[in-house]
Amino acid sequence: MILAVIESFVINFTLLLVCVVNIRNGAVGGVHFYEQPVKDRVVELGLITENEIKRNKIVSGLVFMLILLIIAPLMVFCVNGAETFLDGFIQLTIMYLLCGLFDRVFIDWYWVGHTKTWLIPGTEDLMPYIHKKTWAAKIIGTVIGYPLFAALLSWIFTLILK
């Protein structure tokens, strides 16, 4: 279990890197994480194209999904030695919930909501960028979705590694 907690920091760091790479030239590069009205405004202002938003979303999604779908289960089953569905499920759930907590609290609430790092000039009237309803939906998705995701991957990996 301790390894799962430590490994969740690896996943959190990866998520942080994905965000940092996206906004390396300004918050516009990470606009694919924002609500649709912000995306529309940024395109309207000519700061980015819809194709660039789609490309950034795909690349970011692929990198992070690779970590969640393959790297995390491999760490649990091959490094940590989980052999049963329950062992894998518990460890993956810990990793995913800690990652979700990091994403919801540090990235969404603090970094995006309380710093100027993610501020896009010309969209100030659309703030907050993550509305309470969206944030609550993300919390519910994290609490319900990540354990379901962990269960599915644990089941798949226990079948593969038998």
Side-chain angles (χ1 to χ4, degrees):
M1 299 304 162
I2 298 295
L3 280 177
V5 172
I6 293 168
E7 290 160 348
S8 73
F9 287 104
V10 172
I11 294 172
N12 293 343
F13 184 72
T14 304
L15 174 60
L16 184 64
L17 280 178
V18 167
C19 292
V20 168
V21 167
N22 275 281
I23 65 169
R24 70 189 174 278
N25 296 319
V28 173
V31 77
H32 57 281
F33 294 123
Y34 292 61
E35 302 279 338
Q36 193 59 47
V38 180
K39 295 176 198 173
D40 294 341
R41 173 77 57 82
V42 172
V43 169
E44 180 183 303
L45 292 170
L47 301 174
I48 196 169
T49 66
E50 293 207 22
N51 285 338
E52 290 171 309
I53 293 172
K54 287 177 190 173
R55 184 195 70 226
N56 291 348
K57 182 177 182 175
I58 290 169
V59 171
S60 297
L62 285 174
V63 168
F64 201 62
M65 291 314 287
L66 171 74
I67 300 296
L68 292 180
L69 288 171
I70 298 171
I71 304 300
L74 284 175
M75 286 190 292
V76 166
F77 286 95
C78 298
V79 175
N80 300 0
E83 294 179 357
T84 67
F85 167 82
L86 187 59
D87 284 343
F89 170 72
I90 291 170
Q91 290 184 49
L92 282 172
T93 299
I94 289 169
M95 292 168 71
Y96 292 157
L97 288 177
L98 288 173
C99 179
L101 181 66
F102 176 78
D103 191 10
R104 302 292 82 80
V105 174
F106 176 75
I107 293 178
D108 290 349
W109 179 78
Y110 175 71
W111 198 20
V112 175
H114 291 85
T115 72
K116 295 183 183 205
T117 307
W118 291 82
L119 179 67
I120 300 173
T123 65
E124 294 88 350
D125 61 312
L126 299 172
M127 292 176 78
Y129 291 130
I130 302 171
H131 300 282
K132 288 180 183 178
K133 183 178 176 183
T134 302
W135 194 75
K138 287 180 169 188
I139 291 286
I140 292 167
T142 296
V143 170
I144 295 171
Y146 278 171
L148 291 174
F149 193 50
L152 176 65
L153 289 173
S154 293
W155 177 68
I156 290 170
F157 272 76
T158 53
L159 288 177
I160 292 171
L161 298 174
K162 276 190 176 181

